[in-house]
Amino acid sequence: MRILITGCKGQLGRALTRRLTHHDVAGCDLPETDITNRKAIARAISQHGPDVVIHAAAWTDVDGCARDPENAFRVNAIGTQNVALACAACGSALATVSTNEVFDGTADEPYREWDPLHPINPYGRSKAAGEWFTRHLLNRFYIVRTAWLYAPDGSNFPHRIIELADSLGSLKVVTDEVGNPTFAPDLADALAELIETEAYGVYHLTNTGYASRYQFAREILRLSGRAAVPVEPIPLEAFDRESTPPRFAPLANTAASAIGIELRPWQEALEVFLSAD
């Protein structure tokens, strides 16, 4: 299969590149290819002629999106529109990577693939718009929502927790923001399985189970040999940031599970990540 990965230099893009070596894989990313440049991304996709494009490129700085909503929409919405139009022109299927932040976090159980979208911050709204373009411009697509992604390379929550624990000796972590910690190589494995099918549609792919930021941090410290580091649970209101995240937005893997695609528990994935870090 011929596959093109946008955002190939990011956490997920690198994991996908390593996972898909048995396919004919190409990648594109900044500065060489900008998804907001319609002609540039169309040229990159047409030159490779992929069967599937995995669209992992995005602006994922949630607080940065809150500071500059216009740029968030330009990258995450119009960028996705450009990718979808190029796929339509080439006859390629598209796997768009989206987020749990398309939901508002007011549910009392994990969100299913068919639940209505109601983003409450600019990042979530820009990603919901990217989903809209994918749905309306293509017939063959996979919309894959994930959450709280981390990988061996790159800046992420586990690395930050360890850095702060070592430098400060104690932590304050939010206890009322809940999601699914997801290991990028596990997501790459699941995506690799999914694009082998023609089961187009909307999917939630995260490691199994969910946790608060506080629970996630405590497990990071325990597994990294730092269990003695004090961690104070605090509410979202006490953590100063520009974006408002959904409070309870774990995703339920219903659709992928029905076709045999499941990810391991987040605690097991975190242990593997930390043992190799």
Side-chain angles (χ1 to χ4, degrees):
M1 185 185 299
R2 295 176 66 82
I3 300 169
L4 184 130
I5 302 166
T6 71
C8 63
K9 298 176 185 177
Q11 290 188 109
L12 179 57
R14 292 179 187 182
L16 285 163
T17 300
R18 288 190 288 264
R19 173 61 175 78
L20 295 167
T21 53
H22 58 296
H23 293 288
D24 180 358
V25 177
C28 63
D29 209 326
L30 294 170
E32 296 81 11
T33 306
D34 185 346
I35 61 170
T36 67
N37 183 320
R38 181 175 57 83
K39 291 182 178 179
I41 189 61
R43 183 166 56 249
I45 291 174
S46 65
Q47 284 176 349
H48 189 62
D51 300 297
V52 181
V53 173
I54 303 178
H55 180 36
W59 190 23
T60 59
D61 178 355
V62 176
D63 291 319
C65 289
R67 290 190 295 271
D68 191 352
E70 184 175 341
N71 191 52
F73 189 84
R74 186 176 69 89
V75 176
N76 295 334
I78 301 303
T80 301
Q81 179 189 29
N82 291 339
V83 172
L85 286 169
C87 286
C90 293
S92 307
L94 174 61
T96 295
V97 180
S98 191
T99 173
N100 67 323
E101 297 212 15
V102 298
F103 298 111
D104 61 16
T106 61
D108 55 9
E109 61 182 11
Y111 286 94
R112 306 286 182 177
E113 291 84 350
W114 54 83
D115 285 331
L117 308 190
H118 188 212
I120 59 172
N121 60 48
Y123 172 67
R125 285 192 284 272
S126 69
K127 294 296 284 184
E131 289 190 19
W132 188 93
F133 283 119
T134 300
R135 291 173 187 271
H136 287 80
L137 293 173
L138 296 166
N139 293 320
R140 297 188 302 129
F141 63 83
Y142 315 86
I143 292 172
V144 175
R145 300 183 187 126
T146 193
W148 295 14
L149 199 64
Y150 65 94
D153 39 20
S155 176
N156 51 57
F157 187 79
H159 283 154
R160 184 65 174 153
I161 288 296
I162 290 171
E163 289 170 5
L164 291 174
D166 291 345
S167 62
L168 300 178
S170 65
L171 299 172
K172 295 181 179 180
V173 183
V174 168
T175 191
D176 54 350
E177 181 190 354
V178 178
N180 315 86
T182 304
F183 189 35
D186 286 1
L187 175 58
D189 288 345
L191 270 165
E193 287 187 64
L194 182 61
I195 63 172
E196 293 275 4
T197 77
E198 293 185 355
Y200 303 114
V202 180
Y203 294 90
H204 289 172
L205 294 178
T206 66
N207 282 111
T208 304
Y210 54 86
S212 68
R213 290 284 186 185
Y214 172 79
Q215 291 167 325
F216 190 16
R218 289 294 300 266
E219 190 69 357
I220 292 163
L221 296 173
R222 185 184 73 82
L223 291 172
S224 67
R226 297 171 175 83
V229 174
V231 186
E232 179 186 346
I234 61 172
L236 268 169
E237 289 79 5
F239 184 61
D240 186 24
R241 60 179 300 185
E242 282 127 319
S243 183
T244 302
R247 288 179 180 271
F248 185 86
L251 303 175
N253 171 3
T254 304
S257 179
I259 58 173
I261 301 174
E262 298 191 49
L263 288 75
R264 61 186 156 183
W266 70 265
Q267 297 94 331
E268 292 180 14
L270 180 62
E271 186 171 9
V272 170
F273 164 77
L274 291 171
S275 67
D277 200 29

